[in-house]
Amino acid sequence: MRRTRLCMEKMLASRALVRGLQSGFWRRVSTSSAAWAAHTHDVDVVDCSVPQYNNRLDTPLPDVPFVRNLSAEQKKLKEKEKGSWTQLTKEEKLALYRLTHELSFAEMRQGSKEWMTVLGGVFIFLGFTGLLVLWQRIYVYGDVPATLSPESVAQQTQRMIDMRVNPVHGFANKWDYEKKQWK
Amino acid sequence: MISAAVLRGIGSLTRARAAFTAPLAVRCYSHAKVETDEEFDSRWVTYFSKPDLDAWELRKGMNTLIGYDLVPEPKILDSALRACRRLNDLASAIRILEAVKDKSGPHKEIYPYVIQELNPTLQELGISTPEELGIDKI
């Protein structure tokens, strides 16, 4: 009876410890990532229940602008956008474009040099494997059978000639039996 | 000795052969009316010309239009650019021009033509082309 009570207390204590850890630790992590999620770019926690920004060639106008939380300066620029666009300088127009879009079409279309890295890595590992295989050939494999020595092969060839192996089109056909040499 | 039934059968065959020389104009195509190019264009011009078009409708219209297998006519784009002006959205206007250039693919002569046609509107509304802003290059 006493043992089971002690056991229960230990269990409850450990569970409370875990719960405390969970609420303290996870709560801190979740609030900070909620704060980060106000940016629409490069977040670990992405809210998939609301429209997201995307760079796509076939969807030129994304669902939400790239930068959602505007600084005071950016808000002023947005106000200026409501007036005539002929008043905007090139830099301002570019700034407005970059507020709404992360990548331009040219930037979306550009490739990268990653394939060179990938190919290089593949070759490096293939080369390393080759070295391992070479080491294995030299240090792990035993001797080759005696029947592959030149003397043994000569005896074997002579036997094949004597047996007239493939005499019509093949092996023995190529041996000149009068002159005792290969044709 | 050919039986009467066989004769009757042959007779029906020869009669049926005459029916195969019916006019070739009757084909098995769909009976739906095909929309002409002008109807398509005017439909889209009307869509973007709605005075109280909201931002969602502009985005939806533009994304749908870019999804089609064609480059939109300058008059449709003019209507869309004016809609951007009503919504105070310069970035979308520039994006539309970029999308048109991308849509023309290997046909490099389409985009300069479109810009040439849209030039009065671009000047009037103060929309810079992507080339003027330098975003057509990396």
Side-chain angles (χ1 to χ4, degrees):
Chain A
M1 181 66 180
R2 197 150 173 264
R3 201 183 289 165
T4 51
R5 256 189 80 195
L6 273 173
C7 209
M8 278 290 285
E9 278 169 11
K10 240 187 234 157
M11 255 174 51
L12 286 167
S14 62
R15 202 177 291 158
L17 179 66
V18 166
R19 189 70 57 80
L21 272 177
Q22 279 177 339
S23 61
F25 178 63
W26 290 115
R27 196 170 291 159
R28 227 179 301 125
V29 169
S30 65
T31 43
S32 57
S33 42
W36 294 336
H39 283 297
T40 46
H41 44 276
D42 282 337
V43 284
D44 294 297
V45 177
V46 176
D47 187 356
C48 292
S49 61
V50 295
Q52 293 171 37
Y53 176 79
N54 61 304
N55 290 309
R56 287 184 65 106
L57 295 170
D58 58 8
T59 319
L61 305 180
D63 299 326
V64 292
F66 181 55
V67 178
R68 299 284 286 285
N69 308 335
L70 302 172
S71 69
E73 201 178 291
Q74 289 165 337
K75 285 201 182 114
K76 262 207 302 212
L77 187 57
K78 277 288 186 188
E79 285 302 313
K80 199 172 173 197
E81 195 186 14
K82 294 188 182 157
S84 173
W85 292 339
T86 48
Q87 307 295 323
L88 295 167
T89 67
K90 274 217 177 97
E91 290 74 27
E92 285 175 332
K93 288 183 187 174
L94 202 51
L96 282 168
Y97 181 86
R98 290 290 178 189
L99 278 181
T100 331
H101 304 289
E102 183 191 11
L103 299 175
S104 69
F105 267 68
E107 285 161 5
M108 277 194 263
R109 278 219 174 259
Q110 74 178 133
S112 68
K113 294 221 167 79
E114 196 192 0
W115 67 271
M116 293 185 198
T117 313
V118 170
L119 210 60
V122 166
F123 288 146
I124 285 171
F125 280 106
L126 280 176
F128 179 67
T129 310
L131 284 174
L132 287 179
V133 170
L134 181 67
W135 178 88
Q136 184 186 37
R137 174 69 188 81
I138 296 169
Y139 290 101
V140 175
Y141 289 161
D143 280 332
V144 139
T147 46
L148 289 171
S149 68
E151 303 80 28
S152 185
V153 169
Q155 286 175 328
Q156 180 184 298
T157 318
Q158 182 59 56
R159 191 179 143 82
M160 282 167 80
I161 289 166
D162 295 340
M163 275 202 292
R164 315 232 168 192
V165 167
N166 292 338
V168 180
H169 289 300
F171 191 80
N173 172 49
K174 297 201 166 72
W175 178 259
D176 191 342
Y177 283 92
E178 276 90 51
K179 298 203 195 106
K180 298 267 171 40
Q181 65 186 22
W182 292 110
K183 289 185 188 161
Chain B
M1 251 304 240
I2 310 162
S3 71
V6 174
L7 276 172
R8 219 177 299 132
I10 294 172
S12 68
L13 245 177
T14 48
R15 237 176 294 131
R17 210 176 287 142
F20 287 135
T21 55
L24 293 167
V26 177
R27 298 261 171 127
C28 301
Y29 292 151
S30 154
H31 293 294
K33 212 167 77 85
V34 177
E35 193 182 43
T36 66
D37 287 348
E38 293 74 27
E39 284 168 356
F40 176 86
D41 291 345
S42 59
R43 190 161 57 84
W44 275 101
V45 168
T46 318
Y47 178 86
F48 285 117
S49 309
K50 196 160 83 105
D52 57 347
L53 193 81
D54 65 32
W56 184 93
E57 285 171 350
L58 169 69
R59 287 198 303 270
K60 173 70 180 168
M62 210 55 232
N63 291 338
T64 312
L65 192 58
I66 293 297
Y68 293 149
D69 184 18
L70 49 85
V71 180
E73 279 280 321
K75 55 172 152 357
I76 304 177
L77 298 168
D78 175 81
S79 189
L81 293 174
R82 289 188 188 279
C84 289
R85 174 65 268 191
R86 289 197 298 278
L87 290 162
N88 300 320
D89 194 350
L90 175 65
S92 294
I94 302 169
R95 191 73 156 181
I96 289 170
L97 296 176
E98 276 195 292
V100 166
K101 180 170 185 196
D102 190 71
K103 206 59 194 156
S104 7
H107 303 278
K108 302 275 184 239
E109 67 283 354
I110 298 181
Y111 180 68
Y113 164 73
V114 165
I115 292 295
Q116 176 200 309
E117 293 292 311
L118 286 176
N119 227 335
T121 311
L122 297 178
Q123 297 300 326
E124 178 197 331
L125 298 177
I127 301 171
S128 302
T129 63
E131 287 70 34
E132 285 167 16
L133 294 176
I135 48 179
D136 61 321
K137 305 266 179 293
I138 314 289

